[in-house]
Amino acid sequence: MNTGSDQASIPSLIRQLQDGSSDPLFTAHALNVALSSCSDLRGFPTNDFVNLLPVLMATDDLAVPLLSCVDHLFSLSPRFVEHINIPEFVAILCNLLRCAECQETAQSVIKLLSVLSRVQPTAILAAGVWDDDLLTRWTPFLLEHDVRKVVELFFNLCARLPRDQFDRILPALNILPEWLDANNKDIQYKAVRSLSCLVKLFRKNDDQLQIIFSEQIIKSLIRISLQGLEKNSSDAVKIQCLDVLSLLSIYSPIISKQLLTDHSVHTSLGKIITIFTKRGVTPNQQYVSQALTLANGLLPDLEEDIATFVNRDERSTPNPAEGLRESLKENTDLLLSIGSSLLGPLLNFYPLSVGQSTKLKIVSVVMKIFHMYPADKLLDLVKDRISTFLVSLLKAEEIGLRASALYLSEILLDNYEHFRNELKQEGFPHFIRMLSLKRESREKVERK
């Protein structure tokens, strides 16, 4: 028997597997070696090999070398998958995994399932790959590289999951916290991307979102995303976590309220922004932008006539503003905590921010806090910085920013008469006159 790695020996080795003229295990290993030295599939008897697979892979000893052969074939030509009956092949792989007694078999199966999940994820779901802890039971015994394959498999399934297959992915949710807490950034990133796919897919069903996003998963997302400049997770992972939390703040009223009432969330958001106001620290604009998007999503929307001052996030939908606003008004301590955590850092960061979108998000958060914050406590919170902030808004080219300065100043002038002198000192007497006329007009209407 020709056991060399020469490509010409491959047809002979496959014939020997067909007629059983030599030891099948030895022949399968020889075929694997031969394929590992190939550069293409010219002359490869594809149909003969594919027809052999269901029979030979039923033998546990032959499974590993044959799976390795299939892996080589996928590497040599991605189109090789077109010759396979994928549902049948996936069923064989799942059965192998179900009966596997050695780690090597599990590793080989998981690698191929990961490859196939890019092509036909529905077949893998139908085969019950997550049922009965089929995959998750092996996770504690897998190397980090193999765990990455499991997470990639889950991501591929989530990216193309039919809405009516929700129950199929539930078993995997038990192991998601482990992936989120992994020290490997690729595992973390794919796990968070999977959650992003799920929140977008089930955004119209808050009950399903609450099942997916358990308290443990929410805590992991908060912990990862709000780590500031710590280096135990990459910026890409943190940005993705903030994005998922932002989506939840938009699509899930219950989870949004849970995040809003968690003091650690707005405290950490304020700390993130503060970090980037320090001298010598270059802001990661995407990271800051996502943090501001989350802050915006958590706070209740302003009334429509006020909200038009500042453009909304394009993908957002109105959050349940009335319920959130009432909750905040009833919880003064929470509102004071939000204001003290965010207002100062936002006012300090505004002059350093880059891009109109970021500036509009900052102003939107400031306006929302001003709108709800106890009036008698507002100036104490912002008195050292508010004049400079308003002047910068008034000098902006964006009309929405200038209009927001008008709204914020009205709130201050209605409650603090001496604030008028601060604005005059900044050189805006015409602005003061406009505000006074507007207030006089409003008072006349109210008297009528």
Side-chain angles (χ1 to χ4, degrees), residues 167-224:
D167 292 343
R168 287 284 194 178
I169 53 96
L170 291 181
L173 300 180
N174 296 325
I175 202 169
L176 255 173
E178 284 186 35
W179 297 341
L180 292 172
D181 293 337
N183 289 323
N184 184 290
K185 66 179 182 181
D186 292 329
I187 292 174
Q188 277 190 321
Y189 185 70
K190 284 291 186 182
V192 181
R193 286 284 308 279
S194 301
L195 289 172
S196 180
C197 292
L198 292 176
V199 73
K200 292 172 185 175
L201 182 64
F202 299 109
R203 64 187 181 276
K204 295 182 180 179
N205 192 321
D206 200 11
D207 290 337
Q208 289 177 318
L209 288 179
Q210 288 177 70
I211 292 172
I212 297 167
F213 291 91
S214 64
E215 184 178 353
Q216 188 177 8
I217 287 178
I218 291 287
K219 284 182 176 178
S220 292
L221 289 171
I222 293 172
R223 179 185 55 76
I224 296 167

Side-chain angles (χ1 to χ4, degrees), residues 229-278:
L229 296 177
E230 294 175 19
K231 297 300 182 183
N232 52 337
S233 65
S234 72
D235 281 345
V237 175
K238 288 183 283 190
I239 290 168
Q240 194 67 46
C241 283
L242 284 171
D243 184 57
V244 172
L245 292 172
S246 299
L247 289 169
L248 288 171
S249 75
I250 293 169
Y251 296 122
S252 173
I254 292 176
I255 295 176
S256 181
K257 187 173 181 179
Q258 176 186 338
L259 292 170
L260 181 65
T261 55
D262 187 335
H263 288 265
S264 68
V265 174
H266 43 81
T267 300
S268 298
L269 284 169
K271 287 179 179 178
I272 289 174
I273 297 165
T274 299
I275 286 171
F276 292 120
T277 61
K278 293 179 179 178

